[in-house]
Structure formats: C-alpha cells, structure tokens
C-alpha cells in the first residue's frame, strides 16, 4: 500500500540484518500510532534472533500480606516504614511538593 498520505506508491520500508526473524508485520492506517502523514509499520521479531537467546519468563513472587492482627508485626512494620521515610526524607519532599502547588488550580 501507499505509505505516504498523498502518494500512491510505498516509499517507506524496513531493512533487517540477515538472521533477524520477522514473524509478523502490518502497516497501520494513516494517523494510527503516531501523528504523521506516513503509515507506521509494526514488526514482530523473535527474542532469539534479536537477543541471541530466549529470555525465561519472569515469575513474580507472591505478595506477603501485612498481618494487622499481630501487634508485634505491626510495630515492626511501622518502625521499618518510619525509618524508610526518614532515610528518604519523604515528609520534606511532600511539604516541598505541596508548597509548589497553587490553589485554586489555574487553567494551563
């Protein structure tokens, strides 16, 4: 298809090195994906041909839920949280952010 909005010929293309395995491709409609007078081209390639290996799936650990019924665990959690807040100066940063805000918000 024409790749330039006012043209009749395909003038855009993609070139890949030998060994890059393209498994799917599609031209998008004019204006889809990016605002342009050219069509965007979408390619799907294999991990192995790009990276040299197939990366393993990332397995996310299960979340550990805070045990709110145990006062010892709550105290330990709150102590850790307070230390984190002090170490990263979160209160100072929150106050500085609030001071940069304008009230009421203006149109901009």
């Amino acid at each position: 298809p024409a790749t330039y909005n006012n043209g009749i010929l395909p003038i855009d293309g993609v070139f890949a090195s030998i060994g890059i395995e393209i498994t799917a491709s599609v031209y998008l409609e004019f204006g889809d994906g990016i605002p342009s007078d050219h069509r965007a081209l979408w390619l799907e390639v294999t991990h192995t041909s790009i990276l040299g290996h197939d990366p393993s799936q990332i397995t996310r650990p299960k979340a550990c839920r805070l045990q709110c019924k145990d006062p010892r665990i709550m105290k330990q959690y709150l102590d850790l949280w307070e230390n984190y807040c002090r170490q990263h100066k979160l209160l100072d940063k929150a106050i500085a952010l609030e001071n940069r805000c304008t009230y009421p918000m203006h149109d901009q």
Side-chain angles (χ1 to χ4, degrees):
T3 57
Y4 176 64
N5 201 14
N6 295 322
I8 57 171
L9 299 174
I11 61 172
D12 299 313
V14 174
F15 303 90
S17 299
I18 294 174
I20 302 299
E21 185 180 350
I22 299 171
T23 58
S25 64
V26 65
Y27 280 109
L28 300 179
E29 294 296 323
F30 295 108
D32 277 358
I34 56 171
S36 175
D37 55 359
H38 289 260
R39 291 180 187 265
L41 177 61
W42 180 266
L43 297 177
E44 188 172 305
V45 297
T46 64
H47 286 114
T48 304
S49 69
I50 294 290
L51 303 175
H53 68 283
D54 191 14
S56 61
Q57 293 291 339
I58 297 173
T59 53
R60 306 262 183 230
K62 284 188 171 183
C64 295
R65 302 289 177 216
L66 182 60
Q67 302 296 317
C68 299
K69 295 177 183 173
D70 187 338
R72 295 170 299 142
I73 293 175
M74 281 299 299
K75 181 179 179 345
Q76 181 183 12
Y77 170 80
L78 291 173
D79 289 345
L80 288 169
W81 175 246
E82 287 174 8
N83 287 337
Y84 179 87
C85 290
R86 270 193 298 277
Q87 180 182 1
H88 295 282
K89 300 177 181 166
L90 294 184
L91 181 59
D92 295 338
K93 291 176 181 178
I95 291 170
L97 179 61
E98 183 180 32
N99 290 337
R100 288 181 23 206
C101 295
T102 58
Y103 299 98
M105 294 182 68
H106 51 81
D107 296 335
Q108 200 174 26

